[in-house]
């Protein structure tokens, strides 16, 4: 088990602080949890706690960007992408300002805090915004690469991170290129496309399927917008069926984004694994993932059923 | 603090008159737009663009310019009138306000309109963005200032008070806000809808330096701006007593003129009234 993506975020911000004198970091009273504290300790003059006022934080970030700064604004995904949605839309995306919205504690793996804190709709909300780039890193190394890329890019970026430790599936040599997915496992019978913590589980599912004589292609779709259409079209054509897996509502997220490409270019049967139109609840992260079907076993079982249908 | 001379006052009042003329013409032509709240801020807008702010129409993005955020973005016709009069873009653009394919949007769009410093329209957000700009200025030890114009109805947005707390906490002394206190919003009097009064006491309680001024007295407004420049460690708000629809007797103080455009006949009559006013 590797580090949590949020840990990698804090470390990377600290590194970037030395490279970009105009980089500033905003948080809404959660810097110990989002790990922006790592930056604040080294660059206290470029860290601004906005208090528990997320809407103001996003519009302040927009103003900073309009005056040439590179703001990273962080809080929990629910309070950033949820509460401050309209500020992100009107103050940041519409004028295409250079704000990085780096939110942590996405998904069920928030755990014990329960449904109010478990953001399961953010991918849907962020990817429908024009001018927005949406990234869901699969692990700590990919988080570092994505955050570094975001700092170098001019324009709004959403980076979705989690609280829990997750499997390492990339290395420091894996490039992060927006709009490019990575094929982590070759396979020709079925394709599993996943993002975030579900990428590690997709690889485990591929191991299970191998035992049943099925080779599953596993794709890490960390760049959800722009999405890698070519890799999806090729997967559909090579394997004839696609399963998606995400720690998010099945509506509107990665599964929908993949399906939008599939129905346009390469219609094949699909199955989508995610949270099925309901809220989360309190519990240990792993217990919740099991209870909501976000496991390698469930991905493998779903893939097997889909394989039989194709 | 240097006072405005009689000649400067006359010049700015002439500019304000011109803005009112252009506001009425463009809204009439568009058959759409916010007449009352554009007319009420014509004096502060004329003062800012033709006396106070360091801006260059030939270089709208110059780094050391003063910035204006029209947080009450529906007052856009007044901002456009000022920018066109200043030379940021041709006056002909005003004829295409709010039309499909035209530059001048219903609410300010910084990406496409030269001279617009911040995209606004969703109330409350511009004020926060102005705070962000002022913070950037402080970080850069820059001498430029940030001005924000807020509606009084806009003060009902919770985000305004988040921003007010923020500006005080980070000691944004380079930020001056003007509240267009015309007392009216779409649904009626602000005191009937959801009273933000007492505005001055609220800002004072949030740690702001508060100045009262007649929003149509350019000399008083100039003094307020000069006073704000001397304040250290806290932002300044100028609570401007204004008349919604100022300059057109039929429109003045009328709730119904918040978002209504004059007919061509009305416009002709209104223009005469504006031009004949002293």
């Amino acid at each position: 088990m590797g580090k949590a993506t949020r840990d990698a975020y804090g470390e990377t911000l600290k590194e970037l602080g030395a490279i970009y004198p105009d980089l500033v970091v905003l948080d809404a009273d959660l810097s110990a949890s989002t790990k922006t504290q790592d930056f604040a300790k080294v660059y206290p003059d470029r860290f601004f706690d906005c208090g528990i006022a997320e809407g103001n934080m996003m519009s302040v970030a927009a103003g900073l960007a309009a005056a040439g700064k590179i703001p990273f604004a962080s809080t929990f995904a629910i309070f950033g992408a949820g509460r401050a949605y309209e500020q992100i839309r009107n103050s940041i995306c519409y004028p295409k300002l250079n704000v990085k919205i780096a939110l942590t504690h996405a998904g069920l793996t928030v755990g014990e805090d329960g449904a109010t804190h478990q953001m399961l709709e953010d991918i849907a909300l962020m990817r429908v915004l024009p001018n927005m780039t949406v990234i869901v890193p699969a692990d700590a190394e990919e988080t570092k690469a994505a955050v570094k890329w975001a700092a170098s890019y001019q324009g709004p970026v959403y980076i979705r991170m989690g609280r829990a430790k997750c499997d390492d599936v990339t290395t420091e040599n894996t490039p992060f290129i927006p709009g490019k997915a990575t094929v982590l496992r070759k396979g020709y019978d079925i394709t599993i496309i996943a993002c975030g913590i579900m990428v590690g589980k997709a690889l485990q599912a591929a191991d299970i399927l191998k035992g049943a004589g099925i080779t599953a292609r596993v794709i890490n779709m960390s760049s959800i917008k722009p999405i890698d259409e070519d890799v999806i079209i090729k997967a559909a054509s090579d394997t004839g069926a696609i399963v998606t897996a995400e720690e998010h509502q099945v509506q509107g997220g990665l599964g929908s984004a993949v399906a939008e490409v599939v129905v346009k270019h390469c219609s094949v049967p699909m199955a989508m694994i995610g949270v099925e139109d309901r809220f989360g609840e309190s519990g240990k992260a792993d217990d919740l993932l099991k209870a909501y079907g976000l496991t390698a076993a469930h991905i493998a079982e779903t893939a097997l059923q889909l394989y039989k249908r194709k | 603090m240097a006072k405005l001379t009689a000649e400067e006052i006359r010049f700015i009042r002439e500019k304000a008159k011109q803005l009112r003329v252009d506001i009425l013409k463009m809204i009439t032509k568009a058959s759409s737009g916010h007449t009352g709240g554009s007319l009420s801020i014509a004096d502060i807008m004329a003062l800012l663009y033709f006396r106070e702010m360091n801006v260059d129409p030939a270089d709208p993005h110059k780094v050391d310019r003063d910035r204006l955020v029209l947080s009450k973005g529906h007052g856009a016709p007044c901002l456009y009138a000022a920018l066109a009069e200043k030379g940021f873009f041709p006056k002909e653009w005003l004829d295409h306000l709010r039309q499909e394919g035209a530059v001048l949007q219903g609410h300010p769009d910084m990406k496409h309109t030269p001279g617009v410093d911040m995209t606004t329209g969703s109330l409350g957000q511009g004020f926060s963005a102005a705070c962000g700009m002022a913070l950037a200025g402080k970080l850069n030890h820059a001498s430029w200032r940030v001005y924000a114009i807020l509606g009084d109805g806009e003060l009902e947005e919770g985000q305004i008070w988040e921003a007010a707390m923020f500006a005080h906490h980070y000691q944004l002394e380079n930020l001056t806000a003007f509240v267009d206190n015309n007392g009216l919003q779409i649904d009626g009097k602000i005191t009937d809808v959801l009273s933000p009064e007492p505005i001055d006491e609220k800002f004072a309680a949030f740690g702001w330096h508060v100045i009262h001024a007649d929003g149509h007295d350019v000399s008083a407004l100039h003094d307020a701006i000069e006073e704000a420049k001397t304040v250290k460690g806290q932002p300044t708000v100028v609570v401007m007593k204004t008349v919604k629809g100022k300059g057109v007797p039929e429109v003045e103080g009328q709730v119904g003129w918040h978002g209504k455009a004059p007919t061509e006949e009305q416009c002709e009559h209104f223009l005469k009234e504006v031009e004949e006013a002293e």
Side-chain angles (χ1 to χ4, degrees), chain A residues 83-100:
Chain A
R83 179 187 288 249
Y85 180 73
E86 200 234 320
Q87 283 81 2
I88 293 174
R89 181 188 187 277
N90 280 328
S91 290
I92 297 171
C93 285
Y94 174 43
K96 205 179 177 190
L97 286 168
N98 193 24
V99 177
K100 316 306 165 185

Side-chain angles (χ1 to χ4, degrees), chain B residues 229-248:
Chain B
K229 288 178 185 167
T230 67
V231 176
K232 296 291 165 220
Q234 61 181 156
T236 294
V237 61
V238 183
V239 182
M240 305 189 302
K241 195 77 205 138
T242 54
V243 175
K244 198 158 181 169
K246 177 71 179 176
V248 181

Side-chain angles (χ1 to χ4, degrees), chain A residues 26 68 112 148 154 159 161 169 194 203 218 226 249 256 263 275 281 295:
Chain A
L26 309 178
E112 291 80 351
K148 285 177 185 169
Q154 274 283 332
I159 304 176
M161 292 169 287
V169 295
L203 287 167
V218 177
Q249 303 286 1
S256 298
V263 295
V275 176
E281 61 184 285
T295 60

Side-chain angles (χ1 to χ4, degrees), chain A residues 64-82:
Chain A
L64 282 160
K69 298 294 173 189
I70 309 169
F72 276 72
S74 292
T75 175
F76 288 1
I78 182 68
F79 308 127

